Amino acid sequence: MVSRVIPVDPFDLVIFGGTGDLARRKILPGLFRRYMAGQMPETARVIGASRSEPSDAEYRDFVRAAVEEFVTEDRDDAALSQFLERLHFVSIDAKGEGGWAQLADLVRDDVIHAYYFSVAPSLFGDLAERLHKHGLADNNTRIVVEKPFGRDLGSAKALNATLAQHFDETQIYRIDHYLGKETVQNLMAVRFGNVLFEPLWNSQYVDHIQITVAETVGVGGRGAYYDKSGAMRDMVQNHLMQLLCLIAMEPPSRFSPDSVRDEKLKVIRALDPVMPHHIVRGQYDGDGDTVSYREDAENARSLTESFIAMKINVSNWRWAGTPFYLRTGKRLKARTSEIAVVFKDAPHSIFGEEAGRHRNILTIRLQPNEGMTLGVTIKEPGPGGMRLIDVPLDMTFADALGPDAEEAPEAYERLIMDVIRGNQTLFMRGDEVEAAWAWTDPIIEGWEGRGEAPKTYDPGSSGPEDAQMLMHREGRRWRDIRD
Ligand code: BG6
């Protein structure tokens, strides 16, 4: 398969928080991968900026170490040395004037400027203001902002208003890295590039939809942040909500940023408030090998959830009557993310009772082993009458596309290149984020008001027993969590 990597236009990318954890783990290794793939033009430059004071040479050592740690497969060390030459560092004071003149000298006029705010949201306003003051922002400027984008509707609105003082919405790229995952985009290709699924994609044919994002890691190391967020703010309000939108939305008229985002927004606005008995919150316990959530978070009385399962109704013509079940959690039995569209039973079985109950399930796997499986019912081979069995029509993308298929870029790589290209389709618009908080806030206020404690669950399990009950009492069951 011929490489179809198209280099983007020349750019200067400034990473505020350039020595931080996200830069080290994702942004810088991701840029290097794009460099190896030939997508970064020769003249592109990356400028790290933070309060610390490394020289260019020390910063390059930092980046070299990050790349060596996180790009372990097929790393081209000669390319790494060339990539490092594109790097610079400026020590900058977000709240003062230090370093800004130096940054202004470094950033070139005639290229695209992207400023990545990989810093605490409390600094967004200061950075935006100083970029303007020092003449660093023009029509070729984009800013990239990381989650968490607020912790409720009020703070998200305030952040949007602050950014809007200095930048147009078309210049603001709010990252939700789930939108950069290969299979998430494939969801749109599958839905809107085939005639097969769309006629069945509604409450007449779909019994329910399950979205699971399960992790095996705990919150150790990020406990202080996580304990103020919990699974609802950390995962549901953004990542799972985006997945739900892509599954539930109407076909946009074009694959263009606002057409897609308009349709997603309509879904969020159609979500019903969630009843307390449709929510199960959990917190992982410790065992001999791993410590409990409360120990990880260093908060012995924490009421924060590391697991949540919920039933959501989308009140519109397409989905009324088809529940969406969402669950996500830490320290579960496997790392796996998948969406399962569970279709209804055939209206009448010509094969009689003994043929049993068979359902088509379309499973979309985000990770690991990205791909799709469609469960279909066939006759069990051999003599002995008509016995039915379910078999998977399995399409693991890596197998289906063959060994020469281009390796899918990681979410961050793709999204950063989209920023340079000026394509906002896979980024959240301000009104979308606000609508998601408007739906989330009353849910959180509800359990906080009731002083509810999450149920504990064993590490390595599927979450609290009550989460199973959420489905069982309606005659449904979660799919097994396995990788
Ligand atoms: C982040 C959350 O946004 O997504 C983390 O803050 C979570 O808590 C992570 O672990 C999961 O991302 P991925 O790509 O590993 O599924």
Side-chain angles (χ1 to χ4, degrees), residues 26 147 177-178 181 213-215 217 219 222 225-226 234-235 238-239 330 335 337 367 411-412:
K26 297 286 182 188
K147 77 178 254 280
H177 79 279
Y178 264 59
K181 290 186 189 271
V213 177
E215 298 184 275
V217 292
V219 302
R222 309 167 69 218
Y225 149 77
Y226 193 92
D234 185 53
M235 297 293 288
N238 35 71
H239 305 326
K330 307 272 186 201
R335 176 174 188 255
S337 299
Q367 56 198 28
Y412 273 95

Side-chain angles (χ1 to χ4, degrees), residues 177-198:
H177 79 279
Y178 264 59
L179 288 178
K181 290 186 189 271
E182 182 72 8
T183 316
V184 174
Q185 293 165 78
N186 234 323
L187 241 170
M188 285 186 275
V190 166
R191 274 194 69 188
F192 305 130
N194 297 286
V195 291
L196 214 57
F197 299 110
E198 213 39 34

Side-chain angles (χ1 to χ4, degrees), residues 357-396:
R357 185 179 171 193
H358 297 270
R359 280 191 159 176
N360 300 117
I361 301 179
L362 176 69
T363 317
I364 301 145
R365 286 189 308 279
L366 271 60
Q367 56 198 28
N369 305 328
E370 301 174 332
M372 285 180 18
T373 304
L374 179 63
V376 289
T377 302
I378 61 163
K379 175 189 171 297
E380 189 176 349
M386 183 63 95
R387 290 186 308 271
L388 302 184
I389 53 167
D390 293 331
V391 292
L393 280 183
D394 196 348
M395 191 173 71
T396 300

Side-chain angles (χ1 to χ4, degrees), residues 339-358:
I339 299 166
V341 180
V342 181
F343 290 93
K344 290 187 171 170
D345 293 347
H348 165 68
S349 171
I350 63 168
F351 304 109
E353 288 288 305
E354 62 278 14
R357 185 179 171 193
H358 297 270

Side-chain angles (χ1 to χ4, degrees), residues 156-332:
K157 275 188 167 170
L159 274 179
N160 276 335
T162 305
L163 295 179
Q165 281 174 17
H166 304 285
F167 293 97
D168 188 72
E169 180 63 31
T170 55
Q171 298 180 291
I172 304 173
Y173 290 72
R174 295 176 195 77
I175 283 213
D176 182 317
H177 79 279
Y178 264 59
L179 288 178
K181 290 186 189 271
E182 182 72 8
T183 316
V184 174
Q185 293 165 78
N186 234 323
L187 241 170
M188 285 186 275
V190 166
R191 274 194 69 188
F192 305 130
N194 297 286
V195 291
L196 214 57
F197 299 110
E198 213 39 34
L200 307 178
W201 210 258
N202 55 51
S203 60
Q204 198 184 339
Y205 294 102
V206 178
D207 178 73
H208 73 277
I209 287 167
Q210 304 185 13
I211 303 179
T212 297
V213 177
E215 298 184 275
T216 50
V217 292
V219 302
R222 309 167 69 218
Y225 149 77
Y226 193 92
D227 206 39
K228 292 198 187 71
S229 302
M232 187 70 176
R233 288 190 172 96
D234 185 53
M235 297 293 288
V236 177
Q237 186 271 346
N238 35 71
H239 305 326
L240 278 85
M241 176 70 71
Q242 290 295 323
L243 299 181
L244 184 153
C245 284
L246 295 177
I247 290 280
M249 74 184 186
E250 294 300 317
S253 58
R254 281 188 310 276
F255 188 56
S256 69
D258 280 336
S259 310
V260 171
R261 297 186 301 178
D262 286 346
E263 295 306 334
K264 289 198 293 168
L265 180 61
K266 285 185 209 159
V267 174
I268 302 175
R269 291 191 173 150
L271 300 180
D272 278 353
V274 183
M275 300 293 114
H277 64 284
H278 287 158
I279 304 173
V280 177
R281 295 166 68 233
Q283 199 182 65
Y284 60 82
D285 214 342
D287 56 16
D289 299 326
T290 55
V291 299
S292 69
Y293 172 82
R294 290 181 173 191
E295 285 168 90
D296 261 343
E298 295 180 14
N299 179 359
R301 298 151 76 92
S302 173
L303 297 181
T304 303
E305 76 285 353
S306 59
F307 173 97
I308 189 163
M310 58 204 306
K311 175 184 169 188
I312 297 176
N313 293 318
V314 183
S315 275
N316 61 21
W317 271 57
R318 187 188 281 261
W319 293 117
T322 295
F324 285 65
Y325 296 90
L326 270 49
R327 83 183 146 162
T328 182
K330 307 272 186 201
R331 280 261 190 275
L332 297 177

